[in-house]
Amino acid sequence: MNIVFMGTPEFSVPSLLKLINEFNVSAVFTQPDRPKGRGKNLAMSPVKQLAVTHNIPVYQPLKLRNNEEMIETIKDLKPDFIVVVAFGQILPKEVLDIPKCGCVNLHASLLPKYRGAAPIAWCIINGESKSGNTTMFMDVGLDTGDILLTEEVKISSSITAGDLHDTLMTSGAELLVKTINGIVNNEIKPIKQENNLSTYASKLGKEMANINWESSNVDIHNFIRGLNPSPIAYTHYKNTVMKIFKSRVINEQSDKQIGSIIEVSKDGIKVATGNGVLLIEEIQFPGKKPLKVKNYIIGNKINEGEILI
């Protein structure tokens, strides 16, 4: 199989490596190099780094839509498949029509739920008990193509978005190979998505990461897990941003003001929520490293009775 691969972040890397080992990857398309770090030096995407080490030609168009030069380049490659894993661009119909066997996408949710940019985070924020990967034939819509294969993963009450990302990143690579072989051998019957069951997972940003203490302890705990490792949920303690990396739901109620710190101990910071009590276990203040509360309070004080907002 002659495959053109399109992907950009770390999530795409195991898939590309698996395809390199199993098939012939003739070219890789990824996003342009971006400024990174304090020095703002241009950095290659994780996918480009892997492609370069395997001497695979790399193309980095700002966009494919209306880019006749890049579209002709893809046609000249004569791919059997175009495989897309978190590329960062919606492919125009001119590209979708090129490969002989179709464009296959790996998406980190159980479609049609959680179409869009941040399916892993929103799945956890919404308190889902399961997630997974879906492979599909791509069409001109956003994650709306016919489903090929799915694979479920259970979500525990403590798993973070980062944990689930790593699990799906690895299992997705295996699912992709299984999908391609299944298409070639006519072993897969594509299934139309039920659009009435679809949900959308919008992109995350710092502007939405401020914790609403009016919510329940369970909802806030899910919010914190879903925003870890990025952009990280936060609150304000004495007008200072306090990022929260880890929490735990405890079986307690409180008549204290919502958002108030009930108790501080080596176990963590107990906070009154709109329903129940939440235990904060790991925090970070500006200019400091993330620390477990039991370590932070050795040399610092957090006052009981303060209101988090």
Side-chain angles (χ1 to χ4, degrees):
M1 288 291 102
N2 177 27
I3 292 174
V4 168
F5 184 85
M6 297 184 179
T8 299
E10 180 190 8
F11 186 87
S12 314
V13 170
S15 292
L16 175 55
L17 183 58
K18 194 73 177 175
L19 295 176
I20 290 170
N21 291 335
E22 297 284 341
F23 309 107
N24 173 49
V25 179
S26 58
V28 164
F29 284 70
T30 190
Q31 296 282 38
D33 297 353
R34 306 290 189 194
K36 189 176 182 180
R38 292 184 177 180
K40 297 298 181 183
N41 296 318
L42 287 178
M44 296 186 291
S45 73
V47 161
K48 181 179 178 180
Q49 292 176 38
L50 179 61
V52 168
T53 62
H54 286 268
N55 298 311
I56 298 171
V58 177
Y59 300 90
Q60 298 177 271
L62 278 172
K63 62 177 184 175
L64 285 173
R65 190 175 300 278
N66 299 322
N67 189 334
E68 293 303 322
E69 181 182 354
M70 280 293 101
I71 291 172
E72 286 302 316
T73 297
I74 298 171
K75 287 179 180 178
D76 291 341
L77 290 166
K78 295 181 171 56
D80 294 300
F81 287 94
I82 292 177
V83 175
V84 181
V85 183
F87 177 40
Q89 296 186 36
I90 295 177
L91 304 192
K93 190 174 186 303
E94 297 93 325
V95 174
L96 295 174
D97 290 341
I98 293 172
K100 184 171 71 174
C101 300
C103 290
V104 173
N105 175 230
L106 172 68
H107 185 74
S109 81
L110 299 174
L111 291 171
K113 294 188 75 173
Y114 300 104
R115 296 171 177 171
I120 294 173
W122 283 108
C123 187
I124 291 179
I125 291 170
N126 291 337
E128 301 282 4
S129 61
K130 65 180 180 180
S131 180
N133 284 307
T134 302
T135 52
M136 63 179 163
F137 276 132
M138 297 178 69
D139 60 18
V140 293
L142 179 62
D143 302 324
T144 55
D146 292 354
I147 292 171
L148 297 167
L149 293 177
T150 60
E151 186 176 57
E152 291 187 4
V153 171
K154 290 183 179 179
I155 300 176
S156 71
S157 61
S158 61
I159 194 172
T160 66
D163 297 330
L164 183 56
H165 168 280
D166 292 350
T167 297
L168 296 179
M169 176 176 69
T170 302
S171 62
E174 300 287 343
L175 190 66
L176 259 181
V177 171
K178 188 176 178 181
T179 298
I180 291 170
N181 286 328
I183 294 170
V184 172
N185 296 320
N186 292 315
E187 296 170 346
I188 298 175
K189 184 179 180 180
I191 301 170
K192 294 285 183 186
Q193 290 193 42
E194 296 184 55
N195 291 322
N196 60 312
L197 299 178
S198 70
T199 58
Y200 179 66
S202 58
K203 192 174 182 179
L204 302 175
K206 292 180 181 179
E207 70 282 349
M208 53 79 69
N210 196 172
I211 293 169
N212 176 13
W213 294 103
E214 298 276 350
S215 300
S216 71
N217 56 355
V218 173
D219 287 345
I220 296 170
H221 173 63
N222 293 339
F223 187 72
I224 290 167
R225 293 190 299 130
L227 298 187
N228 183 350
S230 180
I232 299 295
Y234 69 90
T235 189
H236 293 89
Y237 171 78
K238 289 185 173 182
N239 296 319
T240 300
V241 171
M242 180 172 76
K243 292 183 177 181
I244 302 176
F245 285 75
K246 189 177 180 182
S247 62
R248 180 157 50 93
V249 173
I250 53 178
N251 188 24
E252 292 183 19
Q253 296 292 328
S254 173
D255 57 3
K256 300 287 187 181
Q257 181 180 340
I258 290 173
S260 62
I261 296 176
I262 303 166
E263 182 184 334
V264 181
S265 71
K266 61 180 177 58
D267 293 327
I269 304 166
K270 289 184 180 180
V271 182
T273 74
N275 183 10
V277 175
L278 185 74
L279 185 71
I280 299 171
E281 297 180 309
E282 188 174 341
I283 59 176
Q284 181 185 25
F285 284 100
K288 306 293 184 182
K289 294 180 179 179
L291 286 173
K292 292 180 179 178
V293 170
K294 67 179 181 180
N295 295 327
Y296 181 82
I297 61 175
I298 292 173
N300 302 277
K301 186 171 178 60
I302 292 179
N303 297 325
E304 295 175 2
E306 290 287 342
I307 307 299
L308 301 178
I309 58 173

